[in-house]
Amino acid sequence: MSTDASSGTAAGGNAVPHQPSHARMWLGYAALSLAFIAAYAVMNGDGLAQAIVFSASNLAAVAAILVGVRMNRPTCPSAWYLLAAGQAAYLAGNMCWYVVAAAEGRATAFPSPATEIFLASYVLNALALLRLIRARRAGRDWSALLDALIVTVAFTSAYFVLVVAPLLTTTQLSPYAQLLAGVYPFLDMIFFLLATRLFFGAGNAWHALVPLAAWAATLFLADVVYGLQQVKGVGRDGDLPFFGYLGSFLFVGVAALHPAMRDIAAQREQADVAGRVRLIALGLCGLVVPALVVDSVRDGRRIEPIVLSVASAVMFILFMLRVGDLLTKILAAGRREHERLQQFLEAIPIGVDVRDAGTGRPVYVNQVAGRILGYDPGRVDVPGELPHLFRCGTSEPFPAERLPATLARQGHVVTADDIEVERDAQRRQLQVVATPIRDGEQVRYVLTAFADITAEREMAEELRRLSVIDELTGVNNRRGFLLAARHELALAERANRPGVLLFIDLDGLKKINDSYGHGAGDHALASTSRLLRANLRRRDVLGRIGGDEFCVLLTEASGLSDVDLWASRLRAHVARHNDTSRQPYRLALTVGATIFEHDTPHTIEDLIARADAAMYQARERDDGQDHEGAVRILGPAPGTRSP
């Protein structure tokens, strides 16, 4: 229930919720009404005192409604003002009917001069309920109205058989009294119908309607019991119906004062399918009229069977309308769920293809599938005939028997990422997952989901490339060189082919940086990598493994003659660069070489260490002086074998 509750802060910083005093006013009113009921019971035998207490409780209900409207400020205040007017009319009727009779020392009687005033109160109450119903209605939902009609027909049929018919046939009432005896049940029926309609249309706000529903129920039941007492001639002032009327005063005041009264008209009705309890209750109401028909025929009555036959026909029509309404709502709910699921499947960025497992015919294909494949797969009845599917990196069509959708028909979840589709003269790589959908043990459908992962694979390849490439020079970094060199060493070992590892150092890089700036140093490194790449063959591996250090794996060299030939080409390239370059420095390289043969165990790290040692020997041979020539080289390193 919604309230005006606010929160405060207690010592220690904990928030302590509390309600303003007026939000709990309904508790005080409930206590006051219970006190009136207790006083009424205690004063049994004192007719005037009871009448005064009765009217005071009625007056308190009028005041409670007016205070509740001012305090809670409901969305539809006119309905509550009509309700207050109805209670005020009821109070006026009680003053004429009950208090005056008690003051004169006589019992209340039906009909009385106050009868028309009571009728006005019922009309005002009914208008108040109708105003609340219209304020809550959000569309043309007939479910709550049909349910209310079914319940009302059941109760009013019993009311007619037990109360109205005996009153109409008694000789003690005048024609006008008999007319009033028929009008009262009719107004009760309208009142009960509207109250039931309001409660059945409550939806999630039903808790706000509990006090109002209790008011309508107690008032209606009190009228029924009072009518039964009039039929049997056993009623007297202060009996059970009077406590029912007092209970109605209690509940209507609580309904107005409770903060939940704001939710009654504030929350709009929502069409929903009736629950199991509600349908069972409606079914039981449907049995009331046939039971009354059987009872009246058995007793030989004449009027009741005719009326009850009409009521049975009306009840049958209402039940058929309600069943039709229920089926319509169920079908509409199914369509909404289907449309919602279809919206979800169309919104996800993957292709979805659902096929019958037995025939392979498509059941559902979303639009994304057509955009990914470049054609509508829903037009292809056999999955194996889907065109333009190839093995990754080849021109071979993908085998139909290996398609994930084909394998999933056997009951397995299948994934594949080696399928390419040709779309717009381009190959796009797909990732495919096919899942069987079972009905018990039998595979009924196969759901295939696929996505275009070309961009992701290209990004992954680019990231992989960046992880092994030196950004400055564009050649392998240390990690990339080690990976590529290990691979080439393994191939050379299987072919029993020797090779040469070269360790190259850019001489004087620190002097270049100090003299001309780091930009010049970067240019020197980039120039060195270009000169080294120009001197490589197809399967040779080049990498920058340190700040000014490079390594080259010559996979097609077998001895010092090959190393000398490689060094002579490099010297020529470096000399030509120094002659034509406009840079203020001259490139100089020192190279150490080591030969590897596969009858001697070694790793790439061992070869780098040996070539590094040879490079330092070449530098020490010139007494550690910076070499201004093109290239100096020493190899193989001590301890290695020459061919």
Side-chain angles (χ1 to χ4, degrees):
M1 296 182 181
S2 64
T3 64
D4 288 335
S6 58
S7 61
T9 304
N14 295 324
V16 180
H18 66 276
Q19 290 183 326
S21 58
H22 65 78
R24 297 189 296 270
M25 190 177 293
W26 67 274
L27 292 173
Y29 174 79
L32 176 63
S33 296
L34 290 175
F36 280 133
I37 294 174
Y40 190 83
V42 170
M43 295 175 183
N44 187 23
D46 189 342
L48 181 59
Q50 280 189 314
I52 293 173
V53 171
F54 191 88
S55 299
S57 181
N58 194 171
L59 177 62
V62 176
I65 296 173
L66 296 175
V67 172
V69 172
R70 182 175 180 82
M71 180 179 67
N72 293 319
R73 300 185 182 279
T75 305
C76 183
S78 60
W80 295 94
Y81 285 127
L82 283 171
L83 198 59
Q87 293 299 306
Y90 206 83
L91 175 61
N94 281 326
M95 296 297 293
C96 297
W97 173 69
Y98 195 7
V99 176
V100 172
E104 294 176 354
R106 57 180 174 83
T108 57
F110 176 83
S112 75
T115 302
E116 291 80 1
I117 302 177
F118 284 130
L119 291 177
S121 72
Y122 279 91
V123 172
L124 291 170
N125 289 337
L127 290 175
L129 294 177
L130 182 62
R131 184 70 185 89
L132 287 175
I133 292 171
R134 292 181 63 84
R136 288 179 52 82
R137 285 188 60 181
R140 294 185 175 273
D141 180 23
W142 298 102
S143 302
L145 178 59
L146 290 172
D147 293 348
L149 284 171
I150 291 171
V151 175
T152 302
V153 170
F155 274 83
T156 53
S157 297
Y159 193 17
F160 176 83
V161 171
L162 299 175
V163 179
V164 179
L167 284 175
L168 293 176
T169 56
T170 181
T171 57
Q172 298 177 355
L173 296 178
S174 64
Y176 180 65
Q178 289 182 339
L179 176 62
L180 292 177
V183 172
Y184 263 106
F186 175 76
L187 290 177
D188 272 334
M189 181 188 72
I190 298 298
F191 173 73
F192 188 74
L193 170 64
L194 293 173
T196 309
R197 166 66 179 83
L198 180 63
F199 190 78
F200 279 167
N204 294 329
W206 64 267
H207 57 278
L209 282 169
V210 168
L212 207 57
W215 160 70
T218 53
L219 183 58
F220 179 78
L221 292 176
D223 279 345
V224 172
V225 175
Y226 183 81
L228 288 173
Q229 289 183 344
Q230 294 299 311
V231 170
K232 297 179 180 180
V234 297
R236 64 185 182 85
D237 297 342
D239 277 353
L240 185 60
F242 289 81
F243 286 94
Y245 297 130
L246 287 169
S248 71
F249 302 150
L250 183 154
F251 289 122
V252 74
V254 169
L257 289 172
H258 199 284
M261 62 98 75
R262 291 189 294 252
D263 296 339
I264 294 177
Q267 297 187 17
R268 308 292 284 176
E269 287 185 357
Q270 294 182 354
D272 56 1
V273 179
R276 182 180 302 176
V277 175
R278 185 161 163 181
L279 292 177
I280 292 175
L282 294 176
L284 293 176
C285 289
L287 299 176
V288 172
V289 176
L292 293 171
V293 171
V294 172
D295 182 69
S296 63
V297 171
R298 183 187 61 188
D299 293 342
R301 303 173 192 169
R302 294 183 179 181
I303 299 178
E304 291 88 335
I306 298 174
V307 176
L308 292 175
S309 297
V310 175
S312 295
V314 172
M315 185 73 80
F316 176 78
I317 294 172
L318 290 175
F319 267 107
M320 293 304 296
L321 291 174
R322 186 62 176 97
V323 170
D325 179 73
L326 184 61
L327 290 176
T328 301
K329 278 187 167 55
I330 293 174
L331 293 176
R335 285 194 298 269
R336 287 195 299 272
E337 289 300 322
H338 176 76
E339 292 172 357
R340 186 178 296 113
L341 176 61
Q342 188 168 346
Q343 289 176 352
F344 292 159
L345 293 176
E346 293 294 343
I348 58 177
I350 62 174
V352 176
D353 184 322
V354 182
R355 295 180 178 267
D356 186 281
T359 64
R361 293 181 179 276
V363 176
Y364 172 79
V365 178
N366 67 352
Q367 296 180 7
V368 180
R371 291 198 293 269
I372 292 176
L373 298 179
Y375 58 88
D376 184 5
R379 298 180 179 273
V380 182
D381 290 339
V382 181
E385 297 179 358
L386 291 170
H388 310 307
L389 297 181
F390 301 90
R391 293 179 183 270
C392 278
T394 71
S395 59
E396 300 177 13
F398 199 89
E401 65 275 8
R402 287 195 56 225
L403 283 173
T406 303
L407 299 176
R409 294 168 69 179
Q410 304 172 11
H412 308 293
V413 177
V414 184
T415 62
D417 57 3
D418 58 343
I419 302 176
E420 288 183 344
V421 61
E422 188 172 321
R423 188 186 73 202
D424 301 330
Q426 292 182 339
R427 290 288 188 89
R428 312 293 297 180
Q429 189 170 355
L430 303 179
Q431 185 172 49
V432 185
V433 179
T435 304
I437 301 176
R438 301 177 184 272
D439 183 3
E441 295 296 326
Q442 182 181 5
V443 178
R444 295 296 302 275
Y445 303 99
V446 173
L447 186 151
T448 304
F450 51 93
D452 184 345
I453 59 171
T454 306
E456 289 80 356
R457 287 299 173 89
E458 290 176 350
M459 182 178 295
E461 178 62 26
E462 179 67 14
L463 291 174
R464 188 201 65 77
R465 189 187 68 81
L466 291 175
S467 69
V468 298
I469 298 299
D470 179 61
E471 183 178 2
L472 175 62
T473 62
V475 302
N476 290 316
N477 58 18
R478 183 180 184 86
R479 179 173 180 269
F481 176 79
L482 293 176
L483 289 174
R486 289 192 185 102
H487 176 70
E488 292 298 329
L489 279 177
L491 294 178
E493 185 174 359
R494 283 197 293 270
N496 197 24
R497 184 178 67 243
V500 174
L501 180 76
L502 304 174
F503 193 100
I504 302 117
D505 184 80
L506 173 59
D507 294 333
L509 179 62
K510 183 178 184 304
K511 182 178 179 181
I512 294 173
N513 285 329
D514 293 343
S515 301
Y516 308 109
H518 286 276
D522 291 344
H523 187 273
L525 289 168
S527 299
T528 300
S529 67
R530 285 196 298 272
L531 294 172
L532 292 175
R533 274 188 294 188
N535 207 31
L536 296 180
R537 289 168 293 190
R538 183 175 60 87
R539 299 193 65 89
D540 294 342
V541 181
L542 167 64
R544 179 189 176 197
I545 64 170
D548 57 357
E549 298 168 340
F550 296 82
C551 276
V552 175
L553 181 66
L554 301 178
T555 58
E556 298 179 12
S558 59
L560 287 180
S561 59
D562 294 320
V563 175
D564 290 339
L565 180 62
W566 183 88
S568 64
R569 291 200 302 269
L570 181 61
R571 287 190 184 98
H573 290 153
V574 173
R576 189 180 307 113
H577 173 271
N578 287 337
D579 291 340
T580 59
S581 175
R582 297 181 180 180
Q583 296 295 326
Y585 59 84
R586 296 176 65 83
L587 287 180
L589 304 177
T590 302
V591 182
T594 184
I595 299 175
F596 59 88
E597 295 177 332
H598 297 290
D599 56 352
T600 303
H602 55 265
T603 64
I604 186 63
E605 288 80 4
D606 295 336
L607 296 177
I608 291 175
R610 283 155 41 185
D612 186 19
M615 184 273 297
Y616 274 104
Q617 289 181 22
R619 177 170 293 170
E620 290 172 357
R621 188 177 57 183
D622 290 340
D623 299 327
Q625 300 296 319
D626 287 339
H627 184 61
E628 293 296 335
V631 177
R632 54 187 175 191
I633 184 168
L634 178 67
T640 62
R641 296 171 54 189
S642 299

